[in-house]
């Protein structure tokens, strides 16, 4: 993210509510062992969240069927976690809106904007989506592991994490 762009703070309560909102798609998850999308998919599934994987080039993720696009996923989706690079994120935001999914989480790890580019955030807001604009879902999925607890503390200290009831 360019130095002149101020990150939008992530509301911890909204992030936690997102993860409890119902059936979630993880867009960009693949079956590769080093895929962080797969890591998030598996962590959500292990916590009892109903998740579906979406990736145009993956047939399965962690043994589950993977859909080539959001438009191919049967049934209702309550949210989408977007794990694609910034250049592809705006197209995914538009797919989320076209599919009628009310909320979107634009992933941001420690390096670069990830899916949470300023343009993707702006388009999501213009389309009326409820947006979690960055951060890693593992910072909010209880029980939070040590690395992600530290990451959460650092983000809070830098002003990148808004209010929390914790």
């Amino acid at each position: 993210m360019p130095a002149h762009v101020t990150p939008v703070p992530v509301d911890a309560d909204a992030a936690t509510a997102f993860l409890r909102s119902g059936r979630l798609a993880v867009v960009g998850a693949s079956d590769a062992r080093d895929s962080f999308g797969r890591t998030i998919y598996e962590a959500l599934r292990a916590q009892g969240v109903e998740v579906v994987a979406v990736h145009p080039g993956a047939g399965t993720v962690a043994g589950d069927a993977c859909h080539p696009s959001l438009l191919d996923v049967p049934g209702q989706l309550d949210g989408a976690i977007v794990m694609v690079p910034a250049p592809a994120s705006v197209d995914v935001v538009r797919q989320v809106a076209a599919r009628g999914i009310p909320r979107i989480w634009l992933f941001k790890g420690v390096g670069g904007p990830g899916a949470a580019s300023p343009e993707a955030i702006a388009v999501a807001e213009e389309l009326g989506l409820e947006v979690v604009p960055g951060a890693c879902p593992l910072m909010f999925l209880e029980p939070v592991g040590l690395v992600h607890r530290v990451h959460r503390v650092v983000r809070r200290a830098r002003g990148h994490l808004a209010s929390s009831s914790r």
Side-chain angles (χ1 to χ4, degrees), residues 27-110:
V27 181
S30 79
D31 220 16
R33 287 274 172 209
D34 63 346
S35 164
F36 201 62
R38 177 189 170 127
T39 299
I40 289 174
Y41 179 89
E42 288 179 320
L44 289 166
R45 185 177 67 180
Q47 291 295 316
V49 176
E50 185 180 357
V51 289
V52 296
V54 176
H55 189 291
T60 62
V61 171
D64 296 338
C66 183
H67 304 277
S69 81
L70 285 167
L71 302 176
D72 296 309
V73 177
Q76 177 179 328
L77 289 169
D78 301 297
I81 298 173
V82 182
M83 305 285 301
V84 302
S89 63
V90 172
D91 287 339
V92 176
V93 168
R94 289 190 174 106
Q95 283 182 31
V96 167
R99 176 67 205 272
I101 301 168
R103 60 192 60 82
I104 188 168
W105 186 309
L106 295 164
F107 173 81
K108 180 190 181 316
V110 292

Side-chain angles (χ1 to χ4, degrees), residues 76-166:
Q76 177 179 328
L77 289 169
D78 301 297
I81 298 173
V82 182
M83 305 285 301
V84 302
S89 63
V90 172
D91 287 339
V92 176
V93 168
R94 289 190 174 106
Q95 283 182 31
V96 167
R99 176 67 205 272
I101 301 168
R103 60 192 60 82
I104 188 168
W105 186 309
L106 295 164
F107 173 81
K108 180 190 181 316
V110 292
S117 70
E119 182 183 11
I121 293 167
V123 170
E125 290 172 347
E126 287 169 13
L127 293 171
L129 300 175
E130 181 182 315
V131 183
V132 176
C136 173
L138 298 183
M139 291 172 37
F140 306 97
L141 188 63
E142 298 293 343
V144 178
L146 178 61
V147 170
H148 288 91
R149 279 197 315 262
V150 169
H151 192 190
R152 190 168 61 187
V153 167
V154 169
R155 285 185 61 99
R156 189 171 288 127
R158 292 182 176 168
H160 300 168
L161 192 60
S163 69
S164 174
S165 57
R166 290 178 233 196

